[in-house]
């Protein structure tokens, strides 16, 4: 099995882990026709997101080509992206702790 | 691109069923007895049609008519009790404008007579249906419904994005794609509304979402508040928009052509939203009444059931489920999860699968006969 991650839309600034990753691992991402390498700064469980680009605080986090909320703090490339404020609810989900 | 289907007065069927439907739950037993004695027919047994508010009775009549008019149905026998609120005669008259319909009534001479008269009638219908042959039609004649159920993490990152690409491809070829599950839009309705053809379509979309939220609120339930759930967060989802988009991405990126009410016959081409609940029993019925000939159903941990008159193609991106439950999964997308195939290539393969099913290839639910359970969505109280 090739360990990798997927960027669902060319406009996205986050990628999704298709297997469990450890901090320090490198992942190659295909964005459009471009292949880029990202060094992971956190453990990323299967199905979770990490930043494919630096996302400054209050900037939109883009997945599926759409804003899924705003970064409640700066998310650097390769970091687990969970600090996102929903624009639909006004609440913030900051839970970065994952039991899995 | 072409598929082989059965020409109808309105549209093209991908199956050639003789259906037997009860007009009220009370005559369901008679339908089942006819279907047991003649396995060539498709039983349509629901539980509605009486002791309901007038708007629901009108809705049940509309859905029964439109199920009968689904192009996969060659002809239909209606089984009425006799005293139900639904007008069986009205339903029969409306179907008869387009195809053969017969009616038997249990309260006339009793169950045994209704079964034997029904058997005589369906024998003739099956003999007539046998004469039909498939012909080639352009894929623009296809109405494909899309739905997800028993989802897991792979749904949002593999099978729904691939299905979205299938939807874009079919619409690009001139076909129609129908989606529903109004509750799935909560938190991302503004994103779909931006894709609306005009302001009126956007307004009707917002109104459908508001209505279901208001009705849940009247039961003391806030459908927006607890989202995403703890389980969702553990699976990698952070916001309600992200959760809803995980489901909505199966609609692709096409313009939203129209918003229609539950069970309404689809007249327009392109991407159509139908107001409906997410529960399969009623959701698949809405699509079938809308005229969908095939349903593409993405699942994570495996929702196995099909629908009596519409083939349902089950897709999963969960490799373990694809292996363990291969009895129920028609198309596996593990290659995408493993990084061996990209979304576009997987979508091309899945669209080809849909076209093969439209041309007669049986789905797993059809092979297993796991497809007889369904119901009609009603909004009001049972009286």
């Amino acid at each position: 099995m090739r360990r990798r991650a997927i960027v669902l839309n060319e406009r996205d600034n986050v990628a999704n882990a298709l297997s469990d990753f450890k901090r320090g691992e490198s992942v190659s991402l295909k964005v459009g026709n471009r292949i880029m390498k990202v060094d992971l700064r956190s453990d990323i469980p299967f199905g979770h997101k990490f930043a494919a680009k630096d996302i400054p605080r209050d900037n939109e986090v883009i997945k599926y080509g759409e804003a899924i909320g705003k970064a409640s703090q700066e998310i650097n490339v390769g970091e687990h992206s969970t600090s996102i404020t929903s624009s639909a609810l006004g609440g913030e989900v900051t839970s970065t702790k994952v039991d899995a | 691109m072409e598929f082989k289907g059965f020409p109808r007065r309105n549209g093209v069927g991908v199956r050639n069923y003789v259906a037997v439907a009860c007009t009220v739950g009370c005559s369901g037993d008679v339908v089942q007895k006819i279907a047991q004695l003649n396995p060539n027919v498709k039983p349509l047994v629901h539980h509605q049609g009486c002791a309901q508010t007038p708007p629901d009775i009108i809705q049940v009549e509309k859905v029964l008519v439109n199920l009968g008019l689904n192009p996969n149905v060659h002809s239909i026998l209606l089984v009425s009790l006799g005293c139900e609120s639904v007008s069986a005669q009205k339903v029969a008259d409306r179907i008869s404008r387009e195809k053969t319909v017969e009616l038997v009534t249990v309260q006339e001479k009793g169950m045994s007579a209704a079964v034997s008269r029904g058997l005589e009638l369906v024998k003739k219908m099956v003999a007539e249906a046998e004469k039909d042959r498939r012909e080639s039609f352009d894929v623009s004649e296809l109405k494909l419904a899309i739905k997800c159920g028993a989802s897991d993490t792979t749904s949002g990152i593999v099978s729904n994005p691939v299905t979205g690409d299938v939807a874009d491809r079919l619409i690009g070829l001139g076909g129609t794609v129908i989606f529903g599950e109004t509750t799935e839009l909560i938190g991302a309705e503004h994103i779909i509304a931006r894709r609306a053809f005009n302001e009126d379509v956007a307004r009707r979309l917002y109104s459908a979402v508001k209505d279901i939220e208001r009705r849940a609120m009247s039961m003391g339930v806030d459908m927006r508040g607890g989202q995403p759930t703890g389980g969702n967060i553990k699976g990698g989802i952070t916001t309600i928009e992200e959760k809803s988009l995980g489901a909505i991405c199966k609609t692709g990126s096409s313009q939203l052509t129209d918003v229609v009410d539950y069970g309404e016959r689809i007249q327009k081409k392109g991407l159509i939203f139908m107001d409906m609940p997410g529960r399969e029993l009623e959701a698949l019925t809405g699509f079938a009444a809308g005229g969908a000939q095939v349903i593409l159903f993405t699942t994570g941990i495996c929702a196995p059931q099909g629908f009596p008159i519409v083939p349902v193609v089950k897709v999963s991106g969960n490799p373990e489920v694809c292996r363990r439950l291969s009895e129920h999964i028609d198309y596996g997308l593990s290659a995408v999860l493993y990084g061996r195939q990209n979304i576009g290539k997987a979508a091309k393969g899945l669209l080809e699968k849909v076209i093969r099913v439209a041309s007669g290839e049986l789905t797993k639910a059809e092979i297993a006969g796991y497809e007889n359970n369904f119901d009609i969505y009603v909004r009001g109280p049972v009286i």
Side-chain angles (χ1 to χ4, degrees), chain A residues 6-25:
Chain A
I6 190 167
V7 175
L8 294 168
N9 188 291
E10 283 183 39
R11 290 192 294 274
D12 292 1
N13 52 17
V14 291
N16 306 273
L18 294 176
S19 50
D20 289 322
F21 290 107
K22 289 283 174 211
R23 179 183 172 164
E25 284 188 79

Side-chain angles (χ1 to χ4, degrees), chain B residues 243-261:
Chain B
K243 176 176 177 169
S244 298
L245 280 167
I248 290 168
C249 69
K250 69 182 181 291
T251 68
S253 57
S254 304
Q255 187 180 63
L256 180 66
T257 318
D258 203 4
V259 169
V260 299
D261 193 16

